[in-house]
Amino acid sequence: MTANVLILSAAGMLVSAYLMVGQKALFTTIRLYGLQSLLLAIVAITIAISESHRELLVTAALTIVLKTILIPWFLMRTVDRIGIHREIEPFLNVPVSLLICVGLTVVGYRVSTGFEEGSQLVTHHLIGVALSLLLIGLFLMVTRKKAITQILALLTVENAVFLVAVGVTTGMPLVVEFGIAFDVILAVLVLGILVQRIVGRFESMDVSRLSNLKG
Amino acid sequence: MNGLVAVGVPLALVIRLTSIVATLMLVRHARACRWMAIGGSIVASVMTAVVAMHVIGSASAIDGTLFRHAASETELGYSVTPLSAWFLMVLALIAVPVALYSAGYFAHALARPRTAAVGAAFNAMVGGLEVVFVADSVIGFLCGWEVMTLATAALVATEHESRASRRAAYLFLVMSHVGTGCLIAGFMILASSAGSLSFPAILSGHLASGPMRDGVFALFFIGFGVKAGLIPLHIWLPAAHPAAPSSVSAFMSAVLITAGIYGLFKVCAFGLGTPDVNWALVFMAVGTLSALLGVLYALTQTDIKRLLAYSTIENSGIMSLGLGAAMLALAHGHSTLATVAVTASLMHMLNHAIFKGLLFLGAGGVVMATGTRHIEQFGGLMRRMPWTGLFFLVGALAISGLPLLNGFPSEWLTFQALLLGFTSTPGLVRLNFPLAAALLALTSALAAACFVRVFGISFLALPRHPAASAAQESPGLMLGPLGFLATLCVVLGVFPGVVLRGLEGVTASLPGLRPAGAMAWGRLGMSSTLTSFDHIAPALFGFALLGGFIVATALTTRRGLAVRQAPTWGCGGELTSRSEYTATAFSKPLLMIFGAVYRPTRQVDAVAEVSPYFVEEVRYRAEIEPTFERYLYGPLGRGVVRMARGMKVLQAGSLHTYLAYVLVLAVILLMWLGGTT
Amino acid sequence: MIPAIQDALLAAGAALLQAGGLLAVAPLLKTVIKKMKARFQNRQGPPLLQGYYDLAKLLRKERVRSDVASWVYVAGPRVYFAAAVAATTLVPVLFPVAPLEAAGGILLLVGTLALGRFALATAALDTGSPFGGMGASRDMTIAALAEPALMLGLFASALAAGSMNLGELVRTLVQQGINRHPADILAFAGLFVIVIAETGRIPVDNPATHLELTMIHEAMVLEYAGPDLALVEWASAVKEVLYLTLLVDLFMPVGIAISAAPVAVLVAIVAWGAKVFVLAITVTVVESTNAKLRLFRVPELVSISLGLGFLALAIRFL
């Protein structure tokens, strides 16, 4: 039963990542991120209950508060402030992007077979999903032009790392947890402010315009 | 007392940290933050001095922990070995007078808003240096080293409006980091072969002789040589030391270079096993070259602080020479000779710190009073600033290695090491010793000429510029430390045996050295290992000099002998400051004799407006070739820039391209690693 | 306690006697050289006691001091004199013992003379006269060049005898007897050149010149008059005696008194006088048969001396 929940949640995370790749509306992308984080929290809670790791409940609570509620709210507010609601044409069109994401998922799963934890079914899926999520997040950063999407991609990568930590190991020491949480908040805050500044200055969130600065 | 000593070092660091934070918080009140910074510095220095003296006295190390974090299992320990204690003591001995001097100096010569930053950076620098001396693992050492470097860079850039200061700070940072890079590489190699990051494990000489050990030696030599200011790694020193505020320059020249010397001692000489003969020869060659070139370049400088900086390079060379002689002795197994040489080097380090600190602080007072660093605009300051002049004279006498002051015993001991080395080393390699001794003699004579020049042109005769004729004596707070250091010069010159007792404990703790018991000759004198070879007792000789002086005074001041004051003969014309000898003129004969080293170029322009037969002005411009900048660092720098330009292609300027690099790399790595698990 | 004080008093007494003796003899030596030079030039030359007459005259005169100078100007000649006098206590003259040999040896001797030179050069800059600066500059330059050659020459002899302490050195040489090594000749030649340079004689410097631009040592003391000048002249003369005595000690210590018997002491005085006289003749001959070198040719001369010193070391020990 727990195995099923875990596998389903992991799969859900992967699907949300695919949907993010296919999305153009910024609000939806943010909501998808929120969903992803929620599923992550569910994974954490399931493992906490099934293997009686109490600390993971704290982790899960942290994830829900921060990543499911606070960060999406902040990002949506930022998008509101800026007034840009849609992603413009990415470098690669959607079908090609989705194909590449499939390829990256294959790579992720292939690598997970290399680990000895990958021998078990559940952890095999968890690692596979996590690695795929990581690569898809990186890919998102490469192909999208809007800064908000890039922030979300970064957060996706962070989710992937978290998934591995929670699912495969017994979680990280609480000190590290808090450190990472703090890191994430700060990163999002800074990036959010930065985005507002960029838009204020250049009237565009298009990151590819940065190459104008090259001397 | 024992309890205080056991926690002395961490407590001192905590005090420094608190002082830094408090200084930064009191930014608005210049006076308060000045005293906070200085007070904290003095208290912390006194504490480390107490610990250091305890270790030297008992000749046993004190270990402890600086910082521990149980959750991540990081621990930074410290270990005050007798060698560390010696360096700490020199540090404290200079840090306290410099801090007191700064109290007066910052009040008068530093812009008020900057006092907090300078005070905090000063404390950070001293604290970093203390950590370097007591660290017992690679991580602690490198942390202290970096803090020290960054704080120093901040201090060098104090007057960041001036382009020269900015350039000096930049050059300092680049050279320091080249050195630190070499250090990190060396430490990593040692750590990986020893399997641990703690110094006792790494520096146990476990590497076998061979190209690997030579390579590690070279890395550490470069890394520490940059900090010590040895030629050819010295180019940052003459730019950086003058750019910092004067009291900080004093500290930098006197003590900061000892960080490099400490590393050379701890790692290159005594940490890699029995030294190789070639290493010793490299040390001796570099030392002699640094000494000679340092003083030769000092002779031609007209910026007083730059001159003193080059003189620091000279003395750094002398210390390195002593260390090289020790290493040669160790390579041949002569432990007594090695002890003599090590003692000479460490003693010279102490003496140099004292008289260089004295000279820089004196120069600081002069610069503050006249507003310029240019010697050619000084003159006649002896009458306006009598105490500064007197103390500067003491420092000049000391640095020239003249008897009754502290430069003489350490140079004497270095000579002893070289001569005894000549008699006891077999083979043709022994000819290096008399050669080094002759060059050392040349260096010290040139140093005497250099300081006659500096002192004479700056303090004597007529003022050459209105600023000099309006100069005021420094306030008492700045004169006190000068007096203290000058007194120390005299005391250690007349009673050098005092220093030797302390050094016995230090040399006993270094591997391969046998303490040469009979070196302190009573309380008065010093002798080399064989008393019949040579010995000195300056105190005794002082009586002879005093006697001669009394006779001379008696002959010239008899009752009824009048003293008439008359103007100096100016060949029938009026004697003004224009007809005085200039500093450039003073060193011109040496410039011409050593032309092969200097490669001077000169340009003489005659400016005539009306007709070429009625010349109105003659302009003279002389320049010395910056040999190392032009032939070594110039091509190096251009090569690096060329390489960077070549690699610029990768820098597309597009964020997405960079991210694409990351993605591709991640995929490749994953596939490679995933497949090979 | 008491033997130590006795030793100290003995040493002090011997030091006073030796210093006084050399101070007394120095003007005589200077005049002897002057007279011999004059004879070389077919002149009569001054009476033998002229040196003393000159000193007495100068000591009686008024002291003049530049109104621009500070206390450094006053202290300069005194320190120069004190250094020369103190240096005499380190050198064995009549006995194979130097009165203050416990205080130091060769290095201390060289250092003391350097101290005197530093004081005089600094004082020369104090008057604001360009000649003073020029003299100081040239003197310090030549001294700097001469120092390595001086050191090497001294080291060659010292290392051969196994001690840098002059008293010990002479004692060893006396014990060894007249066992000379060819390296000694090289070392002697090298040191002789340096002695010429340090005492300011032709071919390095002309002590009798009155043209300021050709002066080296004289230019430094141009501004002194009366008793101050007497101190400087006297100290220079003492330095000369000292250097010649040093050469005698290092290379021909024959005839030195081994016991305190009056006969031995007399023999020692005569021997020392004769040897110094022979060296003085050599100096005169060198001065009279050579022309003064251009300033920038002096380094060449000194480098010859350096080479000789180095060769002496190499030949002896390899």
Side-chain angles (χ1 to χ4, degrees):
Chain A
M1 163 60 179
T2 40
N4 286 336
V5 172
L6 287 175
I7 295 179
L8 269 174
S9 311
M13 286 175 76
L14 194 58
V15 169
S16 74
Y18 272 92
L19 288 176
M20 275 167 81
V21 171
Q23 263 304 322
K24 288 231 184 112
L26 284 177
F27 274 129
T28 323
T29 321
I30 298 175
R31 289 202 193 97
L32 279 170
Y33 169 70
L35 175 66
Q36 201 181 74
S37 308
L38 184 62
L39 289 170
L40 184 62
I42 293 177
V43 168
I45 295 175
T46 317
I47 295 186
I49 298 179
S50 72
E51 291 182 31
S52 331
H53 286 146
R54 297 286 156 175
E55 309 88 51
L56 280 180
L57 286 174
V58 177
T59 311
L62 206 61
T63 309
I64 292 181
V65 169
L66 264 185
K67 298 186 190 174
T68 320
I69 302 176
L70 270 180
I71 291 182
W73 170 79
F74 178 72
L75 283 175
M76 285 209 248
R77 209 180 71 147
T78 311
V79 173
D80 244 340
R81 281 252 185 91
I82 309 173
I84 299 173
H85 296 273
R86 294 190 69 82
E87 173 79 50
I88 54 177
E89 270 312 308
F91 287 116
L92 298 170
N93 60 11
V94 174
V96 176
S97 308
L98 283 174
L99 252 150
I100 294 183
C101 286
V102 169
L104 291 174
T105 317
V106 169
V107 171
Y109 266 88
R110 171 126 188 282
V111 174
S112 89
T113 54
F115 294 105
E116 54 174 74
E117 286 88 345
S119 54
Q120 286 182 38
L121 191 64
V122 175
T123 42
H124 171 70
H125 279 294
L126 283 179
I127 297 178
V129 165
L131 282 171
S132 315
L133 217 58
L134 191 134
L135 290 172
I136 293 176
L138 274 176
F139 175 71
L140 256 182
M141 270 201 269
V142 174
T143 55
R144 290 307 159 95
K145 290 184 187 167
K146 288 280 179 240
I148 294 279
T149 322
Q150 301 203 316
I151 298 175
L152 287 169
L154 189 65
L155 292 168
T156 309
V157 170
E158 206 264 319
N159 271 354
V161 173
F162 217 77
L163 182 60
V164 172
V166 162
V168 178
T169 67
T170 54
M172 301 175 270
L174 218 53
V175 150
V176 182
E177 294 270 344
F178 281 126
I180 294 184
F182 191 56
D183 205 19
V184 168
I185 303 175
L186 222 57
V188 174
L189 274 174
V190 169
L191 289 169
I193 296 174
L194 207 59
V195 164
Q196 291 183 12
R197 290 270 183 202
I198 291 176
V199 171
R201 192 55 100 121
F202 298 104
E203 285 149 14
S204 157
M205 247 204 299
D206 187 351
V207 179
S208 64
R209 290 247 208 130
L210 276 173
S211 51
N212 284 340
L213 291 171
K214 182 184 168 197
Chain B
M1 179 53 112
N2 263 336
L4 179 64
V5 162
V7 302
V9 173
L11 190 57
L13 283 175
V14 165
I15 291 181
R16 252 186 233 286
L17 222 56
T18 332
S19 158
I20 292 177
V21 170
T23 312
L24 288 173
M25 289 204 305
L26 288 169
V27 161
R28 302 225 174 268
H29 314 278
R31 191 142 181 260
C33 74
R34 191 167 61 233
W35 280 107
M36 172 62 69
I38 286 163
S41 181
I42 293 181
V43 171
S45 293
V46 167
M47 215 168 286
T48 39
V50 166
V51 174
M53 286 204 278
H54 181 92
V55 169
I56 292 179
S58 65
S60 63
I62 293 184
D63 300 322
T65 336
L66 278 177
F67 173 76
R68 172 178 299 186
H69 183 238
S72 50
E73 287 178 42
T74 45
E75 180 180 328
L76 248 86
Y78 72 89
S79 167
V80 185
T81 58
L83 184 69
S84 312
W86 181 257
F87 281 85
L88 276 178
M89 202 190 69
V90 174
L91 168 63
L93 196 63
I94 303 300
V96 173
V98 166
L100 277 172
Y101 182 93
S102 303
Y105 185 76
F106 289 168
H108 291 99
L110 201 62
R112 294 186 79 93
R114 289 200 190 152
T115 320
V118 172
F122 180 74
N123 267 317
M125 180 174 72
V126 182
L129 192 53
E130 282 174 358
V131 170
V132 164
F133 287 149
V134 301
D136 74 342
S137 80
V138 173
I139 304 289
F141 186 88
L142 287 174
C143 281
W145 190 266
E146 270 305 292
V147 167
M148 176 182 79
T149 306
L150 291 173
T152 315
L155 286 168
V156 169
T158 308
E159 287 167 26
H160 53 82
E161 295 83 7
S162 120
R163 190 162 176 272
S165 286
R166 287 202 302 271
R167 189 179 174 273
Y170 178 68
L171 188 60
F172 171 74
L173 271 178
V174 168
M175 293 293 296
S176 286
H177 280 110
V178 166
T180 313
C182 292
L183 286 184
I184 295 180
F187 276 130
M188 286 303 115
I189 297 179
L190 280 180
S192 70
S193 78
S196 148
L197 281 177
S198 82
F199 275 165
I202 293 184
L203 298 176
S204 57
H206 60 273
L207 272 185
S209 246
M212 171 77 104
R213 201 170 77 127
D214 289 338
V216 169
F217 171 79
L219 282 171
F220 279 116
F221 188 72
I222 296 178
F224 289 121
V226 168
K227 199 51 134 193
L230 295 173
I231 287 179
L233 303 160
H234 67 286
I235 52 167
W236 59 273
L237 221 157
H241 282 202
S246 294
S247 48
V248 174
S249 301
F251 186 80
M252 283 170 71
S253 254
V255 185
L256 218 53
I257 51 158
T258 64
I261 305 281
Y262 175 72
L264 288 173
F265 261 91
K266 198 172 170 90
V267 180
C268 291
F270 292 106
L272 294 175
T274 315
D276 202 34
V277 171
N278 295 322
W279 300 357
L281 291 177
V282 163
F283 257 100
M284 285 178 76
V286 165
T288 322
L289 194 68
S290 304
L292 200 55
L293 284 181
V295 77
L296 279 177
Y297 283 125
L299 269 165
T300 56
Q301 300 300 319
T302 49
D303 176 340
I304 193 171
K305 286 170 75 168
R306 214 173 138 94
L307 187 149
L308 290 173
Y310 270 113
S311 171
T312 305
I313 296 179
E314 174 216 338
N315 283 284
S316 201
I318 296 180
M319 291 182 233
S320 167
L321 178 62
L323 188 56
M327 284 167 75
L328 196 56
L330 279 174
H332 286 114
H334 298 299
S335 37
T336 4
L337 177 61
T339 316
V340 174
V342 165
T343 313
S345 191
L346 287 176
M347 193 180 182
H348 195 75
M349 189 198 88
L350 170 68
N351 289 330
H352 171 251
I354 297 175
F355 55 61
K356 191 42 70 64
L358 172 62
L359 284 169
F360 254 110
L361 292 181
V366 169
V367 169
M368 191 177 91
T370 56
T372 171
R373 298 206 303 242
H374 212 54
I375 303 187
E376 308 273 28
Q377 291 178 353
F378 295 161
L381 291 174
M382 196 59 154
R383 289 187 154 188
R384 312 275 328 171
M385 306 172 71
W387 288 109
T388 312
L390 174 66
F391 296 140
F392 195 89
L393 179 61
V394 172
L397 288 168
I399 202 170
S400 311
L402 298 174
L404 288 197
L405 288 151
N406 63 349
F408 181 71
S410 55
E411 251 181 50
W412 178 87
L413 202 55
T414 316
F415 272 116
Q416 296 305 306
L418 290 173
L419 292 170
L420 287 171
F422 178 71
T423 50
S424 52
T425 317
L428 259 167
V429 75
R430 76 206 309 225
L431 274 181
N432 285 304
F433 284 111
L435 187 63
L439 288 173
L440 184 61
L442 178 63
T443 306
S444 88
L446 285 173
C450 180
F451 279 90
V452 167
R453 174 180 180 254
V454 180
F455 178 72
I457 303 286
S458 305
F459 286 92
L460 301 179
L462 286 166
R464 295 153 204 262
H465 196 261
S469 38
Q472 298 284 333
E473 180 65 279
S474 311
L477 203 54
M478 284 167 67
L479 286 178
L482 281 179
F484 170 68
L485 288 172
T487 322
L488 212 56
C489 279
V490 176
V491 167
L492 287 182
V494 175
F495 298 110
V498 173
V499 176
L500 284 183
R501 287 195 197 290
L503 278 173
E504 265 172 38
V506 176
T507 49
S509 75
L510 291 169
L513 294 184
R514 193 190 319 144
M519 276 221 290
W521 209 43
R523 237 175 235 298
L524 291 181
M526 292 166 43
S527 75
S528 50
T529 49
L530 286 129
T531 313
S532 63
F533 187 74
D534 198 3
H535 50 262
I536 54 167
L540 213 61
F541 194 67
F543 283 117
L545 272 173
L546 194 63
F549 192 83
I550 291 175
V551 169
T553 318
L555 282 173
T556 49
T557 53
R558 291 196 317 272
R559 200 173 13 100
L561 254 176
V563 179
R564 181 164 60 95
Q565 294 233 354
T568 313
W569 172 246
C571 286
E574 193 190 325
L575 197 77
T576 62
S577 62
R578 290 294 309 277
S579 55
E580 284 181 321
Y581 223 57
T582 61
T584 319
F586 194 96
S587 51
K588 191 81 157 89
L590 281 165
L591 187 74
M592 291 175 69
I593 292 173
F594 286 101
V597 172
Y598 292 120
R599 314 243 228 140
T601 52
R602 82 171 181 191
Q603 201 180 342
V604 180
D605 295 317
V607 176
E609 284 197 7
V610 178
S611 150
Y613 299 109
F614 294 99
V615 173
E616 290 186 12
E617 199 178 277
V618 177
R619 293 203 190 126
Y620 173 83
R621 186 191 155 83
E623 212 175 86
I624 302 174
E625 184 184 69
T627 320
F628 292 100
E629 281 89 339
R630 193 175 291 179
Y631 295 111
L632 183 62
Y633 289 98
L636 213 65
R638 281 195 293 275
V640 168
V641 170
R642 239 198 324 266
M643 244 186 355
R645 269 208 202 106
M647 292 211 279
K648 207 164 123 173
V649 177
L650 285 174
Q651 204 180 17
S654 155
L655 191 62
H656 299 279
T657 323
Y658 303 150
L659 288 169
Y661 292 152
V662 175
L663 176 64
V664 169
L665 195 65
V667 170
I668 292 176
L669 276 177
L670 279 175
M671 298 202 27
W672 181 29
L673 287 175
T676 55
T677 308
Chain C
M1 187 69 150
I2 307 223
I5 294 192
Q6 254 186 356
D7 283 339
L9 282 175
L10 197 65
L16 276 169
L17 271 176
Q18 179 154 312
L22 285 180
L23 269 175
V25 170
L28 180 63
L29 176 68
K30 202 162 100 160
T31 322
V32 162
I33 297 184
K34 262 197 210 163
K35 199 162 175 87
M36 287 198 289
K37 261 169 74 174
R39 280 297 165 82
F40 236 96
Q41 295 164 11
N42 254 332
R43 291 188 288 121
Q44 279 289 338
L48 278 177
L49 295 180
Q50 186 61 40
Y52 299 104
Y53 298 151
D54 284 339
L55 280 178
K57 173 188 79 172
L58 284 172
L59 283 172
R60 272 200 310 267
K61 287 197 162 203
E62 177 189 43
R63 280 181 65 205
V64 188
R65 181 181 152 164
S66 166
D67 58 359
V68 154
S70 64
W71 60 266
V72 175
Y73 171 85
V74 174
R78 298 185 192 177
V79 175
Y80 186 61
F81 184 82
V85 163
T88 59
T89 59
L90 293 174
V91 181
V93 178
L94 298 176
F95 298 95
V97 162
L100 280 186
E101 68 178 37
I106 290 179
L107 289 170
L108 186 62
L109 179 68
V110 174
T112 313
L113 294 172
L115 176 64
R117 193 167 39 232
F118 189 103
L120 203 63
T122 325
L125 282 167
D126 204 7
T127 57
S129 153
F131 297 125
M134 188 189 75
S137 157
R138 290 177 172 183
D139 201 69
M140 295 303 286
T141 306
I142 294 186
L145 295 172
E147 187 118 338
L150 177 66
M151 290 286 197
L152 273 186
L154 291 173
F155 289 165
S157 327
L159 289 173
S163 171
M164 296 263 284
N165 193 299
L166 285 165
E168 188 68 42
L169 202 150
V170 170
R171 285 194 284 276
T172 320
L173 283 177
V174 164
Q175 262 184 347
Q176 281 177 356
I178 315 179
N179 225 353
R180 303 278 81 173
H181 192 274
D184 279 339
I185 301 183
L186 291 170
F188 177 78
L191 275 178
F192 192 75
V193 171
I194 295 302
V195 166
I196 298 272
E198 293 271 340
T199 51
R201 296 202 164 273
I202 296 178
V204 174
D205 182 17
N206 186 354
T209 185
H210 54 279
L211 300 167
E212 292 93 347
L213 291 177
T214 63
M215 293 177 177
I216 298 180
H217 178 82
E218 298 301 316
M220 275 203 300
V221 300
L222 213 53
E223 305 297 327
Y224 289 115
D228 295 317
L229 186 58
L231 281 181
V232 173
E233 301 263 313
W234 209 345
S236 304
V238 169
K239 264 177 72 174
E240 189 139 13
V241 176
L242 202 62
Y243 274 117
L244 294 182
T245 313
L246 195 63
L247 283 178
V248 164
D249 279 339
L250 287 175
F251 297 106
M252 13 174 184
V254 183
I256 220 168
I258 311 182
S259 68
V263 179
V265 172
L266 204 60
V267 168
I269 294 179
V270 169
W272 177 78
K275 284 179 278 183
V276 169
F277 185 66
V278 166
L279 280 176
I281 294 180
T282 325
V283 168
T284 314
V285 169
V286 165
E287 273 208 285
S288 306
T289 53
N290 279 307
K292 186 173 106 72
L293 285 174
R294 253 185 68 202
L295 180 68
F296 293 108
R297 291 227 175 269
V298 174
E300 294 173 13
L301 183 68
V302 171
S303 62
I304 295 176
S305 166
L306 187 68
L308 286 170
F310 204 69
L311 265 176
L313 263 178
I315 290 183
R316 182 165 229 136
F317 291 103
L318 285 179

